[in-house]
Amino acid sequence: MIELDRAGRSFKVKRNVVHAVRDLSFTVAPGEFVGYLGPNGAGKSTTIKMLCGILTPTSGTVRVAGLDPSRRRTTLARRIGVVFGQRTTLWWDLPLADSFELIRHLYRVERAAFRARLAELTETLDLGPFLRTPVRQLSLGQRMRGDLAAALLHAPEVLVLDEPTIGLDVVSKAGIRDFLARQNAERGTTVLLTTHDLGDIERLCRRVMVIDHGRLAFDGTLPELMATAPEQSSIEDVVTRLYTAGSAP
Amino acid sequence: MVSTYFLLIWTWTRSAAAYPVSFALMTVLGFLIAAIDVAVILVIFANTTSLAGFSRDEALFLYGASGLAFTICDTFVSNLDRTSQHIKAGTLDTFLIRPVSPWIQLAADRFMATRIGRILQAALVLGYAVAALGIGWDRAWMIPVMVVTGIVIFASLWTIAGAAQFLLTDAPEVVNAFTYGSSQLTQYPLSVYARDLVRGVTYVLPLAFVNWQPGLYVLGRDDPFGTPGFTRFLGPAAALVLALLAALIWRQGVRHYRSTGS
Ligand SMILES: Nc1ncnc2c1ncn2[C@@H]1O[C@H](COP(=O)(O)OP(=O)(O)OP(=O)(O)O)[C@@H](O)[C@H]1O
Ligand SMILES: [Mg+2]
């Protein structure tokens, strides 16, 4: 479903070149739920932007659902759902319900399918109380749930999430985790999840990838990840070891 | 594509119409401000009967023709020149994840229906001039062709200005000078300008095809700069070439988009 082959992305900043991602290769099969970890500035968001075609790779190749994202961006958009935790994809001045209606048009979702899908999402994400509220008046957690619904209205095969639980309280977090787990289990949606909350990883991800300085530092199952550290270590310890090992010269 | 565009501008209009008083005020104000340009032309002709060989009504005809094309673009696509703001705010990422061209989404973003007052004003001036000059159908057929050509040329310039902001994120004002400057330039008969400028304007940015070359045909005039008669009809071809070029530059701009670090 997702294939990267020696993908790289660098940025020219003044006279220097920043290699945000370099020589990154991995494959995610349909139906997998993968956690994508890494310290700040590791290149996680840059990878996600290449997956949805926002950024063109400067080297190597990227394929999502069999398409080259930067060349077939609009075609891919119908098959991928994207959530940026720090930034809403909704229309700031419009009520949530109007945003959804616009999305229905943009993605050309059939009316009946849309209604069923919206009812399901409203129910599971508990959107009912603020469907008529303009997005700018929503709290962070409400907005995030709205953003998740918006990313899933067109029933995408792949879902990429960049820190979707940032700033949420424990209850909202649990709600969103349940929801994501169910999307993956019941609909077979492939999910790639970036987060700094290791609870998300423990609860959701069978497979974990760790990226550091733009390179893959670990790729394996959660038990395999835990086995890289002495027994009895918590997931925090394990991840700390991985992150600090990478930054040593 | 087209229906998506109209859906987006309708959505913006509806949210602006929530404030009906300011909506009406802005429309009227737009109309009045645009009228100042006409007033300038009228003041010039209060002191003279000809401007670089053109009568008052002929000058108003050229003004109205360029004004109509320009105000239509200013209303419907001018938000392309806010590309750099969207880049800096990170909202361009949002446009790029949707299955609709970012060009459409940017052009429709924050659409202001209040600018329609200015389109009306330009259309009135053009209508008056055509009536006053008594232009017959044998030449008037060129007027719609000229307006469409002008729209394509201005829309292409705006597209290029927007695309340039992908590369020059910090210099949007420079590129905007270029679209608004083009409109200023075509408000007067090109014969008021120096020959070299006109040559540049004709061949490099094909602004002379917005209203000057086809306008000379409608007015039944020879070009004071002596271009051959067939150049009056080159507008559509020039507009098409410019549009293709603009599409190419826009594509390159999007491919070179760097997003933001957070
Ligand atoms: N548009 C850009 N221009 C210049 N440098 C960039 C740009 N985007 C990212 N970078 C650089 O690339 C590197 C990786 O950034 P990225 O946003 O992918 O990190 P991240 O793993 O998502 O980090 P975080 O956990 O803090 O969100 C950083 O060093 C960043 O400064
Ligand atoms: Mg990030």
Side-chain angles (χ1 to χ4, degrees):
Chain A
M1 189 53 85
I2 301 175
E3 264 175 88
L4 270 74
D5 186 22
R6 302 178 64 88
R9 172 74 210 204
S10 55
F11 296 100
K12 285 201 196 72
V13 183
K14 306 233 170 77
R15 295 240 173 82
N16 298 320
V17 178
V18 177
H19 295 279
V21 170
R22 43 186 147 184
D23 263 352
L24 190 60
S25 304
F26 64 77
T27 311
V28 176
E32 274 196 283
F33 200 128
V34 184
Y36 195 45
L37 295 182
N40 291 134
K44 302 181 296 297
S45 300
T46 304
T47 311
I48 287 185
K49 285 172 188 169
M50 289 198 286
L51 294 181
C52 45
I54 293 174
L55 288 175
T56 310
T58 41
S59 63
T61 56
V62 175
R63 290 204 160 263
V64 178
L67 302 169
D68 177 345
S70 66
R71 291 194 179 277
R72 307 286 308 281
R73 199 188 57 246
T74 44
T75 314
L76 178 63
R78 290 180 202 287
R79 302 176 59 181
I80 192 172
V82 190
V83 175
F84 293 110
Q86 301 97 321
R87 181 167 299 140
T88 184
T89 59
L90 301 166
W91 287 262
W92 207 238
D93 300 306
L94 298 183
L96 208 48
D98 290 10
S99 274
F100 292 161
E101 191 57 32
L102 264 181
I103 285 172
R104 182 179 84 73
H105 280 275
L106 296 188
Y107 288 83
R108 290 195 227 122
V109 183
E110 224 188 291
R111 206 177 284 267
F114 170 79
R115 247 189 241 131
R117 190 91 175 132
L118 183 59
E120 181 197 337
L121 290 166
T122 307
E123 158 101 36
T124 49
L125 289 169
D126 196 19
L127 305 174
F130 46 89
L131 268 180
R132 302 283 351 143
T133 313
V135 172
R136 79 182 111 78
Q137 293 173 15
L138 297 178
S139 81
L140 182 61
Q142 292 170 335
R143 200 215 78 203
M144 201 73 83
R145 281 182 276 162
D147 258 306
L148 262 175
L152 287 163
L153 275 172
H154 60 291
E157 303 150 52
V158 199
L159 185 59
V160 276
L161 307 160
D162 196 354
E163 303 188 39
T165 52
I166 190 172
L168 298 191
D169 70 42
V170 281
V171 180
S172 306
K173 236 179 229 178
I176 285 186
R177 285 174 187 167
D178 281 347
F179 174 79
L180 291 176
R182 257 203 287 160
Q183 283 293 318
N184 175 249
E186 289 169 13
R187 299 197 156 250
T189 311
T190 311
V191 185
L192 184 80
L193 167 76
T194 287
T195 183
H196 288 298
D197 184 330
L198 298 172
D200 292 345
I201 300 291
E202 279 183 306
R203 165 80 176 75
L204 293 168
C205 305
R206 287 179 289 275
R207 175 177 167 199
V208 182
M209 293 192 286
V210 180
I211 179 178
D212 197 5
H213 291 92
R215 293 177 206 270
L216 208 55
F218 176 86
D219 183 1
T221 61
L222 190 56
E224 283 167 359
L225 176 72
M226 299 305 288
T228 60
E231 239 167 285
Q232 305 296 320
S233 308
S234 69
I235 187 164
E236 275 81 8
D237 297 336
V238 175
V239 169
T240 308
R241 274 173 65 104
L242 263 174
Y243 286 5
T244 45
S247 61
Chain B
M1 290 288 253
V2 177
S3 69
T4 304
Y5 177 84
F6 282 104
L7 179 73
L8 289 170
I9 66 173
W10 168 239
T11 307
W12 283 110
T13 308
R14 217 177 30 179
S15 73
Y19 310 96
V21 177
S22 89
F23 187 84
L25 210 67
M26 290 288 287
T27 312
V28 175
L29 222 66
F31 188 92
L32 292 179
I33 289 173
I36 294 174
D37 286 338
V38 184
V40 170
I41 294 178
L42 295 180
V43 166
I44 293 172
F45 280 99
N47 300 309
T48 169
T49 51
S50 109
L51 177 64
F54 287 80
S55 74
R56 188 189 72 181
D57 291 344
E58 285 173 329
L60 285 175
F61 170 80
L62 291 172
Y63 166 85
S66 127
L68 186 58
F70 181 79
T71 52
I72 287 174
C73 285
D74 191 32
T75 306
F76 291 101
V77 303
S78 71
N79 273 306
L80 289 171
D81 66 21
R82 291 159 48 105
T83 304
S84 81
Q85 289 173 38
H86 285 288
I87 292 174
K88 286 180 199 157
T91 37
L92 202 72
D93 286 4
T94 314
F95 292 152
L96 288 171
I97 62 168
R98 296 194 187 122
V100 172
S101 151
W103 190 91
I104 300 261
Q105 297 181 64
L106 274 166
D109 193 61
R110 308 201 170 268
F111 170 77
M112 289 201 284
T114 51
R115 288 183 176 168
I116 282 167
R118 294 196 284 160
I119 300 181
L120 209 66
Q121 187 266 354
L124 280 175
V125 174
L126 182 63
Y128 159 81
V130 169
L133 291 165
I135 293 166
W137 279 114
D138 57 324
R139 287 180 184 270
W141 64 269
M142 181 59 111
I143 297 172
V145 175
M146 167 172 75
V147 172
V148 172
T149 302
I151 290 172
V152 173
I153 290 174
F154 281 128
S156 302
L157 292 179
W158 249 301
T159 304
I160 294 169
Q165 295 179 12
F166 283 105
L167 306 170
L168 311 165
T169 318
D170 294 318
E173 292 76 17
V174 177
V175 285
N176 293 350
F178 168 72
T179 46
Y180 287 92
S182 300
S183 137
Q184 294 287 322
L185 204 71
T186 51
Q187 280 187 359
Y188 298 101
L190 287 189
S191 48
V192 306
Y193 304 111
R195 180 177 289 263
D196 285 344
L197 179 73
V198 173
R199 214 172 265 153
V201 153
T202 313
Y203 298 110
V204 185
L205 311 169
L207 289 179
F209 295 109
V210 170
N211 60 347
W212 176 246
Q213 289 286 354
L216 289 173
Y217 172 79
V218 176
L219 298 173
R221 303 274 306 243
D222 286 332
D223 186 349
F225 297 113
T227 53
F230 69 87
T231 42
R232 313 287 176 270
F233 305 100
L234 292 183
L240 199 70
V241 170
L242 184 67
L244 288 175
L245 189 70
L248 220 71
I249 296 175
W250 178 260
R251 246 186 103 77
Q252 283 305 310
V254 173
R255 280 188 75 77
H256 285 92
Y257 174 54
R258 302 164 44 119
S259 186
T260 52
S262 61

